[in-house]
């Protein structure tokens, strides 16, 4: 669960897209910028997942953007999703990333400051991530993607995927 206005969500989307792209394919990904000045951060380049779809033979994703950059309601959570948020994050904080599998359930925390994305354009950052450039932003995004991937490995211990 995320919100388009949120700089922390903007940061987390980079790692989420990179991690999940290891197991499947996104379509309909577009560029988005978080809200200028939100939590003292500039508008940050990120992915717009509100109209994107994800397909994989290995994992499934339920992703909702609950508010636009302006703060207006965007995608409503279903009852199952509301139950997860109420059970694991009673405040309904964004971003909220939850992973579950045969051996457990985990929430995943953002491991880097959104400030690392400051001054980056969407196109240049996307190219740097694809090229695995040795920049602080790319290293942080890769680290977040690895943390998300590790959750998949933890949740499916001994399972053949």
């Amino acid at each position: 669960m995320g919100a388009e206005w949120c700089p922390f969500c903007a940061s987390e989307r980079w790692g989420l897209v990179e991690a999940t792209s290891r197991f499947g394919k996104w379509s309909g990904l577009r560029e988005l910028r978080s809200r200028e000045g939100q939590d003292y951060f500039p508008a940050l380049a990120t992915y717009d997942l509100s109209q994107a779809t994800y397909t994989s033979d290995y994992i499934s994703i339920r992703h909702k953007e609950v508010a636009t950059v302006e703060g207006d309601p965007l995608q409503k959570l279903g009852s199952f999703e509301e139950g997860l948020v109420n059970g694991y994050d009673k405040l309904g904080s964004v971003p909220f990333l939850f992973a579950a599998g045969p051996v457990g359930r985990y929430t995943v925390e953002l491991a880097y400051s959104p400030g690392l994305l400051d001054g980056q354009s969407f196109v240049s950052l996307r190219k740097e991530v694809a090229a695995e450039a040795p920049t602080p932003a790319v290293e942080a995004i890769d680290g977040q993607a690895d943390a998300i991937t590790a959750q998949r490995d933890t949740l499916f211990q001994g399972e053949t995927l």
Side-chain angles (χ1 to χ4, degrees):
M1 175 178 73
E4 291 182 342
W5 53 261
C6 170
F8 299 96
C9 301
S11 297
E12 188 166 84
R13 284 186 209 103
W14 285 99
L16 177 66
V17 168
E18 184 176 345
T20 55
S21 293
R22 297 170 179 172
F23 306 105
K25 182 169 178 49
W26 286 93
S27 60
L29 288 174
R30 297 180 307 195
E31 178 181 346
L32 178 71
R33 292 192 83 75
S34 62
R35 185 186 308 161
E36 176 76 33
Q38 183 67 44
D39 296 318
Y40 307 101
F41 290 101
L44 301 173
T46 189
Y47 286 99
D48 179 351
L49 301 180
S50 65
Q51 301 298 313
T53 57
Y54 178 77
T55 56
S56 171
D57 292 336
Y58 306 104
I59 62 173
S60 63
I61 294 177
R62 289 177 180 240
H63 182 272
K64 297 285 177 83
E65 292 291 337
V66 296
T68 65
V69 172
E70 296 79 22
D72 297 324
L74 183 57
Q75 296 174 316
K76 186 171 173 46
L77 297 180
S79 60
F80 177 77
E81 296 152 340
E82 282 182 5
L84 290 175
V85 172
N86 292 337
Y88 292 91
D89 182 18
K90 294 189 186 318
L91 297 177
S93 304
V94 290
F96 175 73
L97 182 60
F98 177 84
V103 298
R105 297 171 176 228
Y106 302 91
T107 57
V108 180
E109 301 291 326
L110 181 64
Y112 68 95
S113 170
L116 289 175
L117 304 182
D118 187 9
Q120 298 270 10
S121 76
F122 179 81
V123 171
S124 67
L125 188 53
R126 192 169 173 177
K127 286 179 183 177
E128 288 177 4
V129 169
E132 298 179 8
T135 67
V138 172
E139 289 173 358
I141 291 166
D142 285 345
Q144 180 71 7
D146 290 346
I148 294 168
T149 301
Q151 290 303 316
R152 198 264 329 158
D153 293 341
T154 299
L155 292 168
F156 292 94
Q157 292 173 357
E159 298 280 324
T160 303
L161 297 180

